[in-house]
Amino acid sequence: MNKYLKIYVAGHRGMVGSAIVRQLRAKGFSNIVTRTHAELDLCNQQAVANFFKDEKPEQVYLAAAKVGGIQANITYPAEFIYQNLMMEANVIHQAFNAGVKKLLFLGSSCIYPKMASQPMAEDALLTGKLEATNEPYAIAKIAGIKLCESYNRQYGQSHSIDYRSVMPTNLYGYGDNYHPENSHVIPALIRRFHEAKESNLGEVIIWGTGTPMREFLYVDDMAEASLFVMALDKSTYDQHTKPMQSHINVGYGSDITIAELSRLIAETIGYQGKITYDTIKPDGAPKKLMNSDLLKTMGWNPKVNIVDGLTYAYRDFLDSHGYK
Ligand SMILES: NC(=O)c1ccc[n+]([C@@H]2O[C@H](COP(=O)([O-])OP(=O)(O)OC[C@H]3O[C@@H](n4cnc5c(N)ncnc54)[C@H](OP(=O)(O)O)[C@@H]3O)[C@@H](O)[C@H]2O)c1
C-alpha cells in the first residue's frame, strides 16, 4: 500500500483515534492529517467542508464521537444524538464531496437490540428495541452505518467510493478515561483498586452480583482491526457483507464475569484486600458478547489477552497520573 497516502484521522486525541494514529505510523504511513476539536468542530458543516476542500485527504478514519457512560447518556440525550449525527453526516458527506474514496466509520455494539440473541451477529441489527438508556446514541451510530451504505449504493460505482463500518465491543487500554464517575468499567475499577491499595483499604465493594458477563478488547487490537478492514480488497469485503448490512463486528471473541474481571484487576494492581458485592445494585444485561466470526473468517484475530491488556492499562493509568 502507498505509504504516502494522505489519511485523515478524526478524533486523533481520543483513545481509539490515537491508537489508530500509532498503528498507522508503525506501519510506515507518514502523511497523517489531524485536527483537534478546538481547531475543527466536526458539528460545524461549513468548517468541515472547508477542511476537506483544503486538505483533500485520500482516506478517512472516523473515530470522533461524543462518547460517555450510562449516566451521561441519560443526562444529555439531546447532545448525544445531535452531535453524533452532525459529525457523521458532515464528515461522510464532505469526504464524498472532496473525492475521498475510502472511509472507515467506527460505531459501537450498542447498535444491537437489547434482547438480541447472544453472541450478537451483524444480522441482529434493526431486529428489535434498543436499550433505552443509550437509544439516542445508538440511533446516531446506526445512522452512521446507513450513511456509509447509502453513499456506497448511490455513488459506489459512479465515483468508485468504498465506505466501511466496524462495530467495536467494549475497549480499554492506553489513553483511556479514568475519571472517577464518568468512565467505563475497566478504567473505573483500575482507579478504585489502585486508590484502595494506596490507602490500605481492607475492602472494595463492587456494584451488583458480579455475575454479568462482558467482553473486552485491548484498544491496540481495535486499531489493528480497523487498518485490517480498511485494507481488505473490495471483492473480499463485498463477498462477506451485503449492501444493506455492511458493518463488521470487532470483538475479543469471549467474555468474562465482572467478578473474574475484578479479581484480575486486583491481582494486576497488587491489591490484597477483600472484594465484596453490593447485590442490591442493578446488574444490567446478564451477557453482552459480540459474534466476531465474520472478521475471523476474513483472517483477523486479536493478539492481546485480558491479563496482558490489564497490565498495559495499569501502566497507562500510572503514567498518566504522575506515578513513575
Ligand atoms: N471506548 C470504548 O469502549 C468504545 C467502545 C465501542 C465503540 N467505541 C467507538 O470508538 C469511537 C472513539 O471512541 P473513544 O473511546 O476513542 O472516544 P474518546 O476517547 O472520547 O474520543 C473521541 C474523540 O472525538 C473528539 N470529538 C468529540 N466531539 C467532537 C467534535 N464536535 N469535533 C471534533 N472532535 C470531536 C474528541 O475530542 P475532545 O475530547 O477534544 O472533545 C475525542 O478526541 C467512538 O465512535 C465510539 O463510539 C468506543
Side-chain angles (χ1 to χ4, degrees):
M1 194 180 286
N2 173 9
K3 301 285 179 186
Y4 298 102
L5 206 63
K6 192 168 189 176
I7 303 174
Y8 170 46
V9 180
H12 73 290
R13 293 217 289 203
M15 175 166 73
V16 181
S18 60
I20 289 175
V21 170
R22 282 199 301 280
Q23 190 73 227
L24 285 168
R25 294 220 166 101
K27 292 216 182 302
F29 292 97
S30 52
N31 196 2
I32 302 169
V33 184
T34 57
R35 289 290 186 280
T36 63
H37 190 164
E39 289 165 343
L40 175 62
D41 178 1
L42 295 172
C43 292
N44 181 329
Q45 186 180 32
Q46 192 56 56
V48 177
N50 294 343
F51 164 77
F52 274 98
K53 220 163 106 196
D54 294 344
E55 286 290 350
K56 295 191 179 52
E58 293 161 276
Q59 282 195 358
V60 173
Y61 287 83
L62 178 42
K66 176 158 178 74
V67 177
I70 297 173
Q71 201 48 50
N73 272 273
I74 293 170
T75 317
Y76 309 109
E79 292 178 26
F80 275 88
I81 193 161
Y82 173 76
Q83 292 182 25
N84 284 304
L85 284 172
M86 289 301 283
M87 277 187 251
E88 294 157 9
N90 287 340
V91 171
I92 293 169
H93 183 64
Q94 299 306 340
F96 171 70
N97 281 346
V100 172
K101 302 292 182 209
K102 258 189 152 174
L103 177 147
L104 188 75
F105 168 68
L106 278 96
S108 158
S109 59
C110 69
I111 59 161
Y112 293 117
K114 185 177 180 178
M115 305 308 277
S117 63
Q118 301 286 325
M120 300 176 290
E122 284 83 356
D123 63 5
L125 183 63
L126 295 173
T127 57
K129 276 187 184 297
L130 297 163
E131 161 66 43
T133 46
N134 58 10
E135 187 197 65
Y137 177 75
I139 292 278
K141 288 293 183 188
I142 295 170
I145 299 172
K146 295 299 163 191
L147 273 161
C148 291
E149 288 176 356
S150 304
Y151 278 71
N152 285 341
R153 287 168 58 218
Q154 187 170 343
Y155 303 117
Q157 292 221 324
S158 59
H159 292 68
S160 308
I161 62 158
D162 185 0
Y163 294 176
R164 304 176 178 183
S165 306
V166 282
M167 300 302 121
T169 186
N170 303 303
L171 305 173
Y172 70 103
Y174 191 84
D176 213 337
N177 162 22
Y178 299 93
H179 190 277
E181 287 112 46
N182 213 357
S183 53
H184 292 127
V185 57
I186 289 186
L189 289 179
I190 287 179
R191 174 183 274 272
R192 287 190 53 207
F193 278 107
H194 173 81
E195 288 175 354
K197 183 179 127 183
E198 289 285 287
S199 49
N200 286 316
L201 270 189
E203 182 185 40
V204 169
I205 303 168
I206 309 285
W207 270 36
T209 60
T211 56
M213 303 201 67
R214 293 292 181 270
E215 180 185 27
F216 300 98
L217 183 72
Y218 192 71
V219 69
D220 285 0
D221 272 340
M222 181 61 219
E224 198 192 78
S226 301
L227 268 68
F228 177 88
V229 169
M230 196 68 143
L232 279 173
D233 63 79
K234 189 159 163 30
S235 61
T236 308
Y237 189 81
D238 288 350
Q239 196 190 326
H240 288 88
T241 58
K242 295 178 195 147
M244 293 181 74
Q245 189 196 293
S246 67
H247 58 290
I248 297 181
N249 287 346
V250 186
Y252 185 72
S254 60
D255 49 5
I256 61 171
T257 63
I258 294 296
E260 176 66 356
L261 176 71
S262 306
R263 194 188 63 72
L264 287 174
I265 292 177
E267 212 171 279
T268 306
I269 289 171
Y271 173 75
Q272 298 192 329
K274 244 173 57 183
I275 304 174
T276 51
Y277 294 89
D278 181 353
T279 54
I280 302 295
K281 295 285 194 305
D283 262 345
K287 191 173 172 80
K288 272 186 84 179
L289 176 65
M290 301 233 286
N291 179 332
S292 302
D293 289 351
L294 186 56
L295 191 55
K296 257 196 188 149
T297 311
M298 290 189 276
W300 186 84
N301 285 291
K303 292 199 177 84
V304 183
N305 65 44
I306 186 81
V307 173
D308 291 343
L310 289 174
T311 306
Y312 307 149
Y314 185 43
R315 186 71 259 161
D316 175 50
F317 171 81
L318 293 175
D319 288 347
S320 59
H321 290 77
Y323 298 92
K324 286 291 154 209

